[in-house]
């Protein structure tokens, strides 16, 4: 049946626009009273650590410290230096510029990094003992993927280089433009299969090439060329005479999204040799301490939406490849050599990001399960580590109560060295996170979930419930920090989220339960059963249930309200609504059509339609707010517009919030994270009724 008229939504959005302007003015005019709860403006004060890099001798850590700037609505990154033994930290570079990718030289005396202090992103070198810094490069485009040679003489990096003009453009007759004439912008010619990318727009005709630069200064030397993207994972050979990297050099590389080999490039002769030719994706090469073995990660190119990443070792003397822990049913995301016969590996397991030691024989020993905190808006699994020559590990440490800090692991003991948000969060009452497991009503599959209780929670009272569904779909939430969910909880909602079928960190079988069922009644049964399990706890108001999610979670939320009317209101964020239109307009079509679907849409129309929330729109009665970036190329805003127009035709109360200039990551600035949350809260409050 029709519900409330859309004019109320228009009034709501107008009031929110005014409210948001007042909100962002608050810090300049705020009173001396500091709230004891996590408020919207507190998002501007959050900080977090990332890219922790431990020195070769394990005595120092340099890390990237991110902080938000309320005046520029941006996130600045600085470099800080930590002494592992004392815990003392000092700023290396902390000013109005941004710094990234700190990398230690093998002798631990120098740090290379990238900074924009000269007006563009360039490579710099800092001498620690002398406290001197030099700008090494003057490059026309931004460098990336810094890597030191073991002898300390060279830095390797990648940079985009323009390709030759498209043939069709060369053949077009050009009319000479008179001096001083003002003509329209020229046409843009696209002739490649990969022609767009979310966050970049239409791709320029350029390719990622590999360079080396002397640390004494001078000109960068380009080592690769041609219409290929050369590896983002550069590794020098132990003698510093060659580079090993991953690349797909097949002429059909654009149509092979899960294929790449490892190559060796001799620096003196520029001779290129192939090290691996396996079907699938070989990446992240790392030499053993003795230089006789090369560890790398491998992922299958099978036409399935998910497969674990495996650790393999190439013995260089005979080119034989061996599997390490071949039967380990988790995806290894990163590895490094602990010795010539053992590794440190990073992987996700049941909603936790872990580090473990792993022997050549496959024995796995967990070291810590506390990596996290780098993902700020939602509680996605995140975090990274680095390993010193003597086995000391630095990593990003996260909890449900704090964003990432810097921690060190040595002799089996973890120590957290920083407290970046204690000044902000130490005196605030935050939502508490509890784990819950239950069985799905569809097939009895066990599902793991979590719920966040509001500050001052009283289990004797009734609270509205917000079901928040993660994206991916092959990603995972956990008991991690989430600025957005802290805000929902502060406003009185119990926030429930789960790792439904298809989520990562539970092995290949669980992830593939969603194969060809994205979305479906099966995965909604996982969510619905979780809501029922929450109701059984006794403190949820069954008359105040809400649903929301972004990306794959937006798809799932839109699909859910086509299956049920149990939710008072929905927030559908950057969704796919019609797979038939999305696959051939979004930037992921070369992968998605064959890995997430049985094949191309014109040969599988019924399947694509069955997976589309638009196929169920005739059932929808739930008031729905849609939020999408206008420059989103992953789930184009035309998808949200289809749902909005369909619901308008059906007289279902709906609002479309368009984020100007934003790509898929609509929480990419502090103000937009705030704006997204506050629009959702206002929409829910419009339909929330008093609880008992």
């Amino acid at each position: 049946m029709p519900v409330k008229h859309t004019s109320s939504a228009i009034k709501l959005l107008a009031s929110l626009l005014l409210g948001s302007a007042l909100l962002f003015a608050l810090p300049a005019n705020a009173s001396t009273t500091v709230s004891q709860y996590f408020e919207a403006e507190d998002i501007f004060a959050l900080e977090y650590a990332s890219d922790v890099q431990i020195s070769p001798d394990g005595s120092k850590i340099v890390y990237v410290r991110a902080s938000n700037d309320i005046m520029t609505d941006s996130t600045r990154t600085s470099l800080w230096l930590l002494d592992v033994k004392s815990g003392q930290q000092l700023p290396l570079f902390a000013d109005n510029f941004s710094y990234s990718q700190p990398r230690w030289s093998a002798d631990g005396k120098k740090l290379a990094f990238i900074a924009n202090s000269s007006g563009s992103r360039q490579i710099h070198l800092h001498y620690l003992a002398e406290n001197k810094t030099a700008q090494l490069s003057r490059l026309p485009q931004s460098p990336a993927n810094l890597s030191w040679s073991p002898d300390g003489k060279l830095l390797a990096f990648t940079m985009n280089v323009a390709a030759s003009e498209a043939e069709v453009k060369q053949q077009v007759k050009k009319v000479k433009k008179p001096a001083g004439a003002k003509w329209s912008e020229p046409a843009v010619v696209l002739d490649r299969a990969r022609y767009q990318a979310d966050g970049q727009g239409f791709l320029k005709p350029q390719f990622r090439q590999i360079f080396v630069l002397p640390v004494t200064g001078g000109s960068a030397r380009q080592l690769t060329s041609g219409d290929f993207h050369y590896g983002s994972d550069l590794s020098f050979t132990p003698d510093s005479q060659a580079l090993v990297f991953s690349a797909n050099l097949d002429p059909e590389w654009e149509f092979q999204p899960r294929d790449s080999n490892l190559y060796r490039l001799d620096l003196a002769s520029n001779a290129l040799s192939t090290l691996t030719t396996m079907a699938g994706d070989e990446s992240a090469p790392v030499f053993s301490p003795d230089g006789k073995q090369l560890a790398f990660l491998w992922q299958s190119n099978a036409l399935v939406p998910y497969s674990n990443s495996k650790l393999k070792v190439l013995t260089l003397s005979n080119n034989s490849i061996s599997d390490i822990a071949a039967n380990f049913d988790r995806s290894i995301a990163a590895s490094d050599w602990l010795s010539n016969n053992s590794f440190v590996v990073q992987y996700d397991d049941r909603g936790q990001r872990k580090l473990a030691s792993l022997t050549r024989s496959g024995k796995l020993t967990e070291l810590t399960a506390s990596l996290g905190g780098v993902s700020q808006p939602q509680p996605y699994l995140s975090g990274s580590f680095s390993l010193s020559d003597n086995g000391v590990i630095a990593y990003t440490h996260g909890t449900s109560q704090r964003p990432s800090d810097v921690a060190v692991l040595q002799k089996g003991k973890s120590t957290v060295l920083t407290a970046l948000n204690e000044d902000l969060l130490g005196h605030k009452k935050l939502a508490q996170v509890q784990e819950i497991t239950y069985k799905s009503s569809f097939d009895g599959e066990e599902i793991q979930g979590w719920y966040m209780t509001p500050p001052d929670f009283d289990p004797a009272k009734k609270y509205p419930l917000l079901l928040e569904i993660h994206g991916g779909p092959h990603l995972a939430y956990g008991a991690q920090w989430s600025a957005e969910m802290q805000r929902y909880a502060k406003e009185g909602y119990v926030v429930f989220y789960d790792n439904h079928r298809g989520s990562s960190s539970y092995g290949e079988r669980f992830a593939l339960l969603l194969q060809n069922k994205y979305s479906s009644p099966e995965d909604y049964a996982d969510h619905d059963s979780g809501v029922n399990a929450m109701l059984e706890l006794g403190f949820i108001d069954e008359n105040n249930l809400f649903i929301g999610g972004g990306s794959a979670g937006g798809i799932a939320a839109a699909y859910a309200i086509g299956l049920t009317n149990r939710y008072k209101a929905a927030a559908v964020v950057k969704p796919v609504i019609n797979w038939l239109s999305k696959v051939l307009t979004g930037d992921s079509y070369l992968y998605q059509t064959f890995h997430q679907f049985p094949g191309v849409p014109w040969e599988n129309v019924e399947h694509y339609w069955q997976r589309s929330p638009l196929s169920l729109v005739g059932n929808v009665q739930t008031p729905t707010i849609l939020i999408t970036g206008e420059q989103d190329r992953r789930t184009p805003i035309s998808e949200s517009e289809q749902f909005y127009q369909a619901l308008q035709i059906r007289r279902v109360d709906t609002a479309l919030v368009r984020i100007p200039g934003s790509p898929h990551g609509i929480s990419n600035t502090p103000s937009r994270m705030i704006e997204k949350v506050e629009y959702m809260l206002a929409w829910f409050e419009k339909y929330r009724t008093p609880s008992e």
Side-chain angles (χ1 to χ4, degrees):
M1 293 177 63
V3 292
K4 299 181 182 180
H5 196 269
T6 54
S7 61
S8 57
I10 296 171
K11 294 176 182 177
L12 166 75
L13 297 184
S15 65
L16 278 170
L17 287 171
L18 175 61
S20 64
L22 294 173
L23 170 67
F24 300 144
L26 272 177
N29 305 310
S31 68
T32 56
T33 303
V34 178
S35 172
Q36 61 181 323
Y37 302 102
F38 188 71
E39 306 292 351
E41 56 266 29
D42 290 330
I43 288 174
F44 277 105
L46 290 171
E47 294 187 284
Y48 65 94
S50 67
D51 202 0
V52 291
Q53 297 291 323
I54 194 163
S55 61
D57 65 1
S59 66
K60 297 180 180 64
I61 297 170
V62 63
Y63 72 97
V64 176
R65 181 169 173 173
S67 57
N68 296 325
D69 186 339
I70 195 170
M71 300 307 295
T72 62
D73 191 24
S74 62
T75 300
R76 285 204 308 265
T77 53
S78 55
L79 297 185
W80 289 69
L81 186 67
L82 271 164
D83 182 81
V84 170
K85 186 176 181 180
S86 67
Q88 180 185 15
Q89 68 169 327
L90 297 169
L92 276 180
F93 300 95
D95 47 37
N96 290 328
F97 302 108
S98 284
Y99 302 83
S100 63
Q101 296 185 47
R103 297 295 181 265
W104 291 95
S105 60
D107 60 10
K109 296 180 180 180
K110 297 180 285 293
L111 271 171
F113 60 91
I114 295 174
N116 64 355
S117 52
S118 64
S120 62
R121 297 178 74 249
Q122 300 293 337
I123 300 171
H124 295 70
L125 187 63
H126 181 70
Y127 296 80
L128 273 81
E130 296 81 2
N131 195 28
K132 299 290 186 180
T133 306
Q135 179 180 326
L136 293 186
S137 71
R138 286 171 176 80
L139 302 168
Q141 298 214 56
S142 295
N145 305 305
L146 280 182
S147 179
W148 277 92
S149 62
D151 63 10
K153 296 180 180 180
L154 293 173
L155 284 164
F157 64 95
T158 61
M159 184 177 69
N160 287 338
V161 175
S164 57
E165 288 188 306
E167 291 184 7
V168 65
K169 187 175 180 181
Q170 293 175 336
Q171 296 170 359
V172 171
K173 180 180 178 181
K174 296 182 179 179
V175 177
K176 186 177 180 180
K177 181 179 177 181
K182 295 182 179 180
W183 288 12
S184 301
E185 288 292 318
V188 175
V189 179
L190 303 170
D191 65 350
R192 290 197 168 273
R194 286 187 59 190
Y195 70 96
Q196 63 169 330
D198 185 65
Q200 301 178 60
F202 292 121
L203 297 176
K204 297 178 180 178
Q206 56 187 15
F207 293 89
R208 185 176 60 234
Q209 306 293 347
I210 299 174
F211 295 76
V212 289
L213 176 69
V215 298
T216 53
S219 300
R221 178 163 65 100
Q222 184 175 337
L223 301 178
T224 58
S225 61
D227 293 354
F228 301 101
H229 289 289
Y230 288 86
S232 59
D233 40 12
L234 309 178
S235 183
F236 276 94
T237 55
D239 61 6
S240 302
Q241 299 303 304
L243 277 166
V244 173
F245 53 86
S246 173
N248 187 335
L249 304 184
D250 189 283
E252 292 283 295
W253 64 268
E254 290 176 289
F255 300 93
Q256 300 167 359
R258 274 192 178 176
D259 283 276
S260 65
N261 296 323
L262 296 182
Y263 294 91
R264 183 185 189 275
L265 180 66
D266 186 88
L267 299 186
S269 65
N270 243 34
L272 186 69
S273 56
T274 305
L275 297 178
T276 65
T277 57
M278 303 171 64
D281 182 34
E282 293 104 75
S283 64
V286 185
F287 282 95
S288 59
D290 62 10
K292 297 179 180 180
Q293 304 169 92
L294 186 68
F296 63 94
L297 301 180
W298 173 83
Q299 189 175 34
S300 167
N301 64 354
L303 298 180
V304 294
Y306 179 89
S307 62
N308 287 333
S309 181
K310 299 288 188 178
L311 179 62
K312 294 180 181 287
V313 170
L314 170 66
T315 301
L316 297 170
S317 61
N318 58 13
N319 292 326
S320 64
I321 295 176
S322 56
D323 292 304
I324 310 298
N327 296 322
F328 181 51
D329 190 23
R330 293 295 184 268
S331 189
I332 295 177
S335 70
D336 202 350
W337 293 86
L338 194 56
S339 70
N340 290 320
N341 294 298
S342 62
F343 311 85
V344 172
V345 295
Q346 175 187 306
Y347 62 98
D348 295 341
D349 178 43
R350 290 190 60 81
Q352 292 181 308
R353 178 150 293 182
K354 297 181 176 181
L355 290 178
S357 62
L358 177 63
T359 65
R360 285 292 301 264
S361 62
K363 181 182 178 182
L364 190 81
T365 304
E366 184 178 312
L367 299 174
T368 182
S370 59
L371 270 74
V374 178
S375 174
Q376 294 299 293
Q378 293 101 14
Y380 284 110
L381 304 189
S382 62
S384 61
F385 78 99
S386 66
L387 177 67
S388 72
D389 293 342
N390 55 1
V392 183
I393 300 172
Y395 67 96
T396 51
H397 178 276
T399 70
S400 65
Q401 301 298 290
R402 296 291 186 273
S404 54
D405 279 297
V406 180
V408 66
L409 177 63
Q410 52 185 336
K411 298 179 181 179
K413 180 183 178 182
S414 284
T415 305
V416 181
L417 299 177
T418 62
L420 301 182
N421 291 281
E422 211 58 30
D423 56 335
L424 171 68
L425 302 177
H427 64 278
K428 291 187 180 288
K429 296 181 180 180
L430 298 173
Q432 301 299 306
V433 180
Q434 306 292 333
E435 183 180 343
I436 184 172
T437 58
Y438 56 92
K439 302 290 186 181
S440 174
S441 62
F442 177 72
D443 54 7
E445 188 75 36
E446 183 182 81
I447 307 297
Q448 183 183 30
W450 294 264
Y451 62 92
M452 298 174 65
T453 53
D456 303 320
F457 173 71
D458 182 352
K461 295 182 179 180
K462 296 284 188 178
Y463 294 85
L465 178 76
L466 169 57
L467 163 63
E468 212 278 351
I469 305 172
H470 74 64
H474 304 294
L475 294 173
Y477 276 163
Q480 293 292 315
W481 170 260
S482 168
E484 293 186 2
M485 293 189 187
Q486 285 287 343
R487 284 290 303 126
Y488 302 140
K490 185 269 171 183
E491 297 302 326
Y493 294 84
V494 171
V495 185
F496 166 66
Y497 55 93
D498 63 63
N499 282 340
H500 53 88
R501 66 190 62 217
S503 300
S504 57
S505 80
Y506 302 88
E508 286 189 354
R509 181 199 66 84
F510 188 83
L512 291 176
L513 290 177
L514 202 60
Q515 185 176 5
N516 293 331
K517 297 177 180 178
Y518 171 38
S519 264
S520 66
E522 286 93 317
D523 59 283
Y524 175 65
D526 297 350
H527 305 309
D528 189 65
S529 300
V531 172
N532 292 335
M534 291 298 300
L535 287 169
E536 291 175 4
L537 297 177
F539 49 76
I540 300 301
D541 180 1
E542 64 181 357
N543 296 315
N544 274 305
L545 305 179
F546 300 86
I547 187 172
S551 195
I555 303 167
Y559 205 91
I561 59 176
L563 296 172
T564 179
N565 294 320
R566 78 183 307 188
Y567 302 101
K568 298 290 286 292
V572 175
V573 182
K574 52 189 181 184
V576 173
I577 296 300
N578 181 355
W579 281 111
L580 287 163
S581 58
K582 186 273 175 188
V583 167
L584 297 180
T585 53
D587 68 345
S588 54
Y589 76 111
L590 292 167
Y591 166 82
Q592 211 153 36
T593 48
F594 300 105
H595 289 272
Q596 288 187 325
F597 286 92
V600 291
W602 55 89
E603 294 176 358
N604 299 274
V605 173
E606 183 56 36
H607 179 88
Y608 277 77
W609 183 244
Q610 189 179 26
R611 301 277 71 84
S612 300
L614 193 60
S615 69
L616 302 173
V617 74
N619 302 330
V620 176
Q621 299 180 23
T622 308
T624 302
I625 188 171
L626 295 132
I627 309 175
T628 303
E630 291 186 339
Q631 299 303 315
D632 192 327
R633 292 179 182 272
R634 186 61 44 82
T635 56
I637 196 168
S638 57
E639 293 295 309
S640 295
E641 289 169 339
Q642 289 181 63
F643 208 51
Y644 175 74
Q645 293 188 32
L647 293 179
Q648 287 284 356
I649 288 172
R650 296 199 61 252
R651 307 297 196 273
V652 175
D653 201 2
T654 185
L656 174 61
V657 180
R658 305 171 65 98
I659 310 299
S662 175
H664 195 60
I666 59 174
S667 295
N668 58 353
T669 68
S671 72
R672 282 180 169 167
M673 189 192 310
I674 293 170
E675 197 170 37
K676 172 195 168 186
V677 171
E678 300 309 313
Y679 270 104
M680 287 176 58
L681 284 170
W683 187 258
F684 293 157
E685 285 301 302
K686 180 181 175 184
Y687 298 98
R688 177 175 166 179
T689 54
S691 299
E692 295 177 6

